[in-house]
Amino acid sequence: MDLNIGPEVEALRQEFRAFFAEHLPAGLARRVYNGEKVPKADHQAWQRTLAARGWLAPSWAKDWGGTGWGPLERFVWDEESALACAPRANIPAIDLLGPVLIEFGTDAQKRRHLPRILSSDDWWCQGFSEPQAGSDLAALKMRAVRDGDHYVVTGTKLWTSHAQHANWIFCLVRTSQEAKKQAGISFLLIDMDQPGITVSPIHTLGGIHAVNEVRIEDVRVPVENLVGREGQAWEITRFLLGHERLVGAGIGPSMKLMRQVRDLLRRSGPDGHPLRDDVRLRDRAALIETDLLALRYTAYRVLADELSGKAPGPEVSVLKVRGGEIQQALTELLMDAAGLAGLVHPLSLPAGESLVPDDLAHLAQQFFDRRKLTIYGGSSEIQRNIIAQRILRV
């Protein structure tokens, strides 16, 4: 592994920290630290602050309004954003669709959509999973039948994150029943502000409305909204999921949770002694931090490959699996260290009452919400199959 974090990147890291200290509102950072829900308007305001600085799209080319950063600069940005407790941007648009359009989109698609993503006027969601297909994308059934200059789209997407806030969705749709299953899938951009599209909420175990069911019934979509060519979605999706699984490693969010663990262990427990005196809690914290350090070095190996010109490979599946497991372990440790205070659910409290400190009130929500990490974006079982077949060759 040849990964040299040179003085230029370290100087950029200091520039990031100074920017967050000056521009990130303290109240917003505190809500993110506590694990509270951040309203869309606050997300948009923060995105526009980043856009004004030119830092909203770290993985986009400069020609299209991105930073033009390399993988190392993006990695440092993700770490520092999470440590500063900055809200995460509209990930489907910024981290997934943007790079796809720059790589596979037409000039007209880039000119139409990329500026509106940067201005936060359009909010996107990702339509991949389906009721009968789950994470097996080859089995998806949403149909797009060609009718002149349009496709007529019918089907249902499930577990669609933040669709309640989105006005556009990018979907995998089946345009052919005759070809090999993977070859019959296409990548389509669909305007959600039209009749025939219904978004229904799904509340997770933590009581959070973050995912949805999206029904699309006989919706006409212009052919010009096809990304790439018909049947190319499998190739596009492999490109996209490579980006998603790097995001899914969640190293920055894990570092933020680790900071919460350290803060909590400094407090006194019911016996009046600091929680860090409990050797079981301390050992668990040390074990998880060791796992997180190992994950960071695994990410460095992937970064080193990228720096040498290689595209993300099956190694990102390791990041996805371990990244999800580490975040789950951290939220479990936070719950155990908080004791009874961790069992208080904010939705069970009358408005205005505060039975526990604000930074403990959302631990249960975070704990339950993190269960999804080993399911979405390709479940851990699918990732392990990829690791077995393409890395271990078994």
Side-chain angles (χ1 to χ4, degrees), residues 9 76 86 97 125 136 164 173 179 193 201 215 217-218 244 247 282 304 318 366 376 380 383:
V9 177
V76 172
L97 180 63
C125 59
D136 181 9
Q164 74 272 29
V173 297
D193 289 336
R215 288 188 178 182
E217 299 179 54
D218 296 329
E244 185 180 57
V247 174
R282 200 172 61 222
V318 177
Q366 291 191 76
Y376 73 27
S380 290
Q383 304 304 328

Side-chain angles (χ1 to χ4, degrees), residues 29-321:
R30 187 166 54 253
R31 295 188 71 168
V32 173
Y33 176 85
N34 292 344
E36 298 178 43
K37 184 178 179 181
V38 175
K40 179 182 175 181
D42 288 351
H43 274 288
Q44 288 176 304
W46 176 240
Q47 286 198 176
R48 285 168 179 148
T49 300
L50 294 180
R53 181 61 181 83
W55 286 350
L56 177 57
S59 56
W60 295 16
K62 272 190 171 180
D63 290 346
W64 294 104
T67 61
W69 290 335
L72 188 53
E73 289 84 356
R74 295 199 299 268
F75 186 80
V76 172
W77 168 257
D78 287 341
E79 284 191 339
E80 294 302 324
S81 296
L83 287 172
C85 295
R88 302 183 75 183
N90 181 204
I91 291 172
I94 303 295
D95 291 338
L96 304 180
L97 180 63
V100 162
L101 289 180
I102 291 170
E103 183 74 16
F104 298 97
T106 64
D107 283 344
Q109 288 170 342
K110 294 172 188 174
R111 287 195 299 270
R112 178 181 182 185
H113 294 294
L114 295 179
R116 290 184 62 81
I117 291 174
L118 291 175
S119 65
S120 298
D121 290 324
D122 284 340
W123 209 258
W124 287 79
C125 59
Q126 174 186 347
F128 278 19
S129 295
E130 295 187 2
Q132 303 304 320
S135 294
D136 181 9
L137 297 180
L140 66 84
K141 298 185 181 305
M142 177 172 279
R143 300 190 317 273
V145 179
R146 183 74 179 262
D147 180 21
D149 294 334
H150 288 76
Y151 291 101
V152 180
V153 182
T154 300
T156 301
K157 296 296 181 183
L158 203 61
W159 312 118
T160 309
S161 298
H162 304 292
Q164 74 272 29
H165 301 309
N167 58 325
W168 281 85
I169 182 172
F170 55 91
C171 286
L172 298 185
V173 297
R174 185 163 295 285
T175 48
S176 171
Q177 301 285 349
E178 299 174 0
K180 182 183 175 184
K181 285 199 300 185
Q182 290 88 340
I185 301 173
S186 301
F187 195 105
L188 210 54
L189 312 176
I190 302 176
D191 184 349
M192 296 180 71
D193 289 336
Q194 58 180 314
I197 297 182
T198 305
V199 177
S200 302
I202 299 172
H203 293 279
T204 62
L205 285 173
I208 297 174
H209 175 198
V211 293
N212 303 271
E213 176 192 79
V214 180
R215 288 188 178 182
I216 301 179
E217 299 179 54
D218 296 329
V219 169
R220 296 181 69 81
V221 179
V223 170
E224 65 194 35
N225 286 10
L226 175 71
V227 178
R229 62 180 184 278
E230 274 194 10
Q232 197 185 5
W234 200 252
E235 176 189 346
I236 296 173
T237 302
R238 282 206 305 270
F239 172 86
L240 180 150
L241 290 180
H243 286 265
E244 185 180 57
R245 284 169 191 152
L246 282 174
V247 174
I251 293 173
S254 287
M255 292 172 69
K256 174 254 182 187
L257 287 169
M258 196 69 232
R259 175 183 154 197
Q260 281 184 277
V261 168
R262 291 194 204 94
D263 291 346
L264 184 55
L265 293 186
R266 292 189 188 99
R267 294 185 181 179
S268 297
D271 60 0
H273 293 97
L275 288 168
R276 62 173 178 254
D277 289 353
D278 185 327
V279 68
R280 292 167 301 178
L281 295 176
R282 200 172 61 222
D283 284 355
R284 284 173 62 187
L287 182 61
I288 297 172
E289 186 150 25
T290 302
D291 286 342
L292 177 55
L293 184 61
L295 184 69
R296 288 184 72 192
Y297 277 105
T298 304
Y300 287 164
R301 294 171 61 188
V302 174
L303 282 172
D305 283 347
E306 280 197 71
L307 288 169
S308 66
K310 295 180 183 176
E315 299 81 8
V316 294
S317 292
V318 177
L319 298 179
K320 170 70 169 57
V321 172

Side-chain angles (χ1 to χ4, degrees), residues 5-25:
I5 301 179
E8 297 85 0
V9 177
E10 286 299 337
L12 190 59
R13 184 192 295 275
Q14 298 307 318
E15 194 176 346
F16 294 157
R17 290 178 179 176
F19 175 81
F20 289 127
E22 182 176 355
H23 296 283
L24 179 61

